[in-house]
Amino acid sequence: MQVSINTTRRSLIKSAVAIGGLAAMPAWARGVSHGPIRQGFDEVSGRVIDLAVGEGPIAVAGRRGHAFAVNGSIPGPLVRLKEGEPVTLRVANRLAEDTSIHWHGLLVPFQFDGVPGVSFPGIKPGETFVYEMPALRQAGTYWWHSHSGLQEQAGHYGPLIVDPAGPDPVEADRDYVLMLSEFTPLHPHTIMAKLKKGEEYFNRQKTSWTDEYPLSGADRRMWAGMRMMPTDIADVTGSTYTYLANGHAPSDGLEYLFKPGERVRLRVINGSAMSFFNVRIPGVRMTVVQADGKNVRPVEVDEFQIGTAETYDIVVEPTGEAHTIVAEAMDRSGMAVATLASRPGARAPVPPLRDPVLLTMKDMGHGSMDHSGMDHAAMGHDMPMGEMDHGAMNMRDTSTLPADVKVGPGLDMVSAEPIDRMGDPGLGLDKIGHKVLTYNDLSALEPNDDSRSPSRSMEIHLTGNMERYMWSFDGKKFNAVADQPIRFAFNERVRVKLVNDTMMAHPIHLHGHFFELVNGADRMHQPQKHTVIVQPGGSATFDLTADEVGDWAFHCHLLYHMHAGMFQVVTVASPEGVA
Ligand SMILES: [Cu+2]
């Protein structure tokens, strides 16, 4: 299995699309094929692009399932667009249910953002919806996916690249996409039902009295006393997921060819429904050059964690015969694998999964009293954990919450001391012994265009009740009928602080905009992102210029969290005098 998206082939495909047009419409586009779904993707480009959403059987690493696919493959085709050019995307629905496509990270008129119930009614079975995009105002690596129900988990997603109008500041000899995702033979609604019954359903790394985790008896009593689990890292795990690289299981042997000395650009897209990945290429340093589609000042790292819906572009200069690209699920329950190969079939060793991750006091909102291992001396005492009075540690002191947070069954934890965790490399990576990317390493390559300081600040709490699998913002589960949107005046500049009152990391995504991480970079170089991970028990802050008029989704990108209610609508009012 080889990938070779080289320039020659790309231009061939382009011309084929341009010449062939609709006359050569393949079977899937006519809606007649319900044959097996292919793994891996083709490329589509041009001024008019046709996409068809269908369904069919799929087999991944010997396991069979039923899946949704766009243009007959999972992931769906790489949509390749050009900055400065308009594009028409026609999406035909060949399913028996409604569908949609959201263009993740693209700045588009809100009626083409593709969120049913927020920006358009959705696409009915048999219908074709035409997205008319005006000249694109950006370049970079993005992706697209269904925003209808749980379709994304079933295969409805694909990569999207916008090539820059001018020269690309990132120079590379090879340009590849690495889209990470998951396959499960389970129906997404089955997963949702199991999570509702018990959030720990998929966790096969639970602590027990006979496990080998480095926990003392006192640690264990403390966690038990709180009725919480220090291994509660991911809701859905490798016990049901096969982790995919461009739709391929590790055993498929996905390959990226290179010649030693070449600069290889890898566009890493986390297109998963529920998984964070730790990405590394043992023996090869990676230079991060883009985050969420925006160029950043190059940062050299050995590893980075990528949250659901984030993208990172990296450049590597491999020298060996072969190097393994490892995308390990954050909870270490499995990995997606690919190979940088100097000749077809060349392989490097695949490292074993590292030890499972344990949550710490920091992840429970006690940022200033991290008891996990090493920090006792720094706290000015070396008292063993068991002697501290954890019974007195109130996990649900609601007195510190702002008045607009609803206190009820939807909220089982409040972060007592939520510290800013944007300097955090991500769960399990703080003592790894090599350089791991953090948000604080990122700065914008080009200066930002809004130099104003924010005129208003707001705080939004990420809330949940793990036991009941309830997820929300500010304790209020989203309800399309009753909800009051978050309102911004046109062109208003707001500083938004997200406080995580849960023990899970949430990747929070705002549609239609980029926001700037408040990460210590000078204001003109705060990195722009469309998705930000808020670490457990901690906070993350961004500045937003609300200059895209319309109604926009704002949600956790963990699919089942969004589905359970961690979702809100952001409304940006029209400028005065404009309808
Ligand atoms: Cu979430």
Side-chain angles (χ1 to χ4, degrees), residues 462 471 502 504-508 556-558 560-562 566:
L462 318 183
W471 300 100
T502 80
M504 302 209 98
H506 302 277
I508 303 297
C556 177
H557 222 287
L558 296 178
Y560 300 98
H561 290 192
M562 174 174 76
M566 202 180 243

Side-chain angles (χ1 to χ4, degrees), residues 272-555:
S272 74
M274 288 299 281
S275 306
F276 286 34
F277 294 96
N278 299 328
V279 179
R280 69 194 201 272
I281 309 173
V284 178
R285 284 221 109 187
M286 313 184 285
T287 305
V288 176
V289 293
Q290 197 181 90
D292 288 5
K294 297 286 190 178
N295 292 320
V296 295
R297 289 176 179 149
V299 194
E300 264 200 33
V301 299
D302 298 300
E303 181 162 5
F304 62 91
Q305 184 168 93
I306 184 167
T308 300
E310 291 188 300
T311 74
Y312 284 108
D313 286 29
I314 59 170
V315 171
V316 293
E317 292 179 59
T319 52
E321 193 190 30
H323 303 277
T324 303
I325 305 170
V326 182
E328 183 184 57
M330 180 168 68
D331 72 329
R332 318 272 165 96
S333 63
M335 59 170 75
V337 170
T339 304
L340 284 165
S342 62
R343 59 169 175 80
R347 287 292 177 273
V350 177
L353 288 167
R354 296 176 293 190
D355 288 340
V357 180
L358 293 175
L359 294 172
T360 68
M361 282 298 112
K362 228 190 211 173
D363 306 317
M364 312 195 51
H366 296 275
S368 62
M369 46 186 294
D370 186 2
H371 300 207
S372 61
M374 334 271 151
D375 292 333
H376 288 139
M379 290 168 62
H381 60 78
D382 51 9
M383 183 167 45
M385 235 170 129
E387 292 173 29
M388 296 194 68
D389 188 2
H390 289 104
M393 199 154 66
N394 189 348
M395 290 304 296
R396 205 166 169 273
D397 176 4
T398 56
S399 66
T400 56
L401 291 172
D404 56 350
V405 175
K406 187 178 163 211
V407 175
L411 189 143
D412 70 354
M413 168 182 147
V414 177
S415 294
E417 303 159 85
I419 55 167
D420 181 294
R421 293 190 70 179
M422 295 212 298
D424 215 293
L427 289 178
L429 297 179
D430 52 340
K431 295 180 183 83
I432 213 84
H434 58 206
K435 173 61 190 164
V436 185
L437 183 78
T438 77
Y439 284 156
N440 287 352
D441 296 324
L442 298 174
S443 56
L445 187 68
E446 301 293 331
N448 296 323
D449 48 14
D450 195 344
S451 61
R452 295 174 298 162
S453 49
S455 60
R456 177 160 78 99
S457 69
M458 63 189 297
E459 190 171 298
I460 297 171
H461 284 247
L462 318 183
T463 43
N465 180 328
M466 306 272 282
E467 209 70 14
R468 301 202 200 178
Y469 211 73
M470 297 168 78
W471 300 100
S472 54
F473 287 130
D474 288 340
K476 295 163 224 161
K477 174 181 151 135
F478 180 71
N479 176 325
V481 183
D483 263 286
Q484 288 299 311
I486 299 170
R487 293 180 190 281
F488 293 113
F490 179 72
N491 216 22
E492 185 182 19
R493 188 137 166 98
V494 187
R495 176 159 291 183
V496 180
K497 182 178 181 184
L498 301 173
V499 177
N500 191 345
D501 285 318
T502 80
M503 287 204 319
M504 302 209 98
H506 302 277
I508 303 297
H509 173 48
L510 172 62
H511 287 220
H513 295 79
F514 285 85
F515 45 71
E516 299 152 32
L517 297 186
V518 179
N519 69 342
D522 71 275
R523 187 185 301 149
M524 294 308 284
H525 290 90
Q526 288 182 161
Q528 297 192 21
K529 291 192 96 260
H530 52 53
T531 303
V532 60
I533 301 173
V534 192
Q535 298 294 345
S539 72
T541 302
F542 61 76
D543 289 341
L544 171 72
T545 299
D547 55 2
E548 300 288 335
V549 172
D551 292 337
W552 303 102
F554 175 68
H555 61 92

